[in-house]
Amino acid sequence: MRFSGTTVEGRLVEIIELEDHPWFVASQFHPEFKSRPTRPHPLFRDFIGAAMQLRSSRTSTSAVH
């Protein structure tokens, strides 16, 4: 587990990640308040991108078998 985001003072953990997981992020802040359909917050944008990449890799792997 990696503590990748803290408050400005550095006293509270705001974001954690699991390094051995394909894409795991937990946040204490609220990125949905800054997200818009045409300008998604990077947390949401990158999650969707990772899901698409995983699906693509699974699809290409299953096509070989």
Side-chain angles (χ1 to χ4, degrees):
M1 181 183 308
R2 183 172 77 179
F3 304 109
S4 54
T6 61
T7 57
V8 176
E9 304 84 26
R11 296 181 61 199
L12 298 173
V13 174
E14 294 280 354
I15 305 170
I16 63 167
E17 299 177 59
L18 296 180
E19 294 180 3
D20 61 344
H21 192 275
W23 203 93
F24 178 94
V25 175
S27 67
Q28 179 65 21
F29 66 98
H30 294 278
E32 68 274 14
F33 294 143
K34 295 192 176 206
S35 198
R36 300 291 180 264
T38 58
R39 290 176 294 130
H41 188 277
L43 189 64
F44 298 124
R45 181 198 63 216
D46 294 349
F47 173 69
I48 297 299
M52 291 173 64
Q53 186 177 17
L54 179 62
R55 180 177 184 223
S56 176
S57 71
R58 287 182 175 174
T59 303
S60 63
T61 303
S62 64
V64 173
H65 295 268

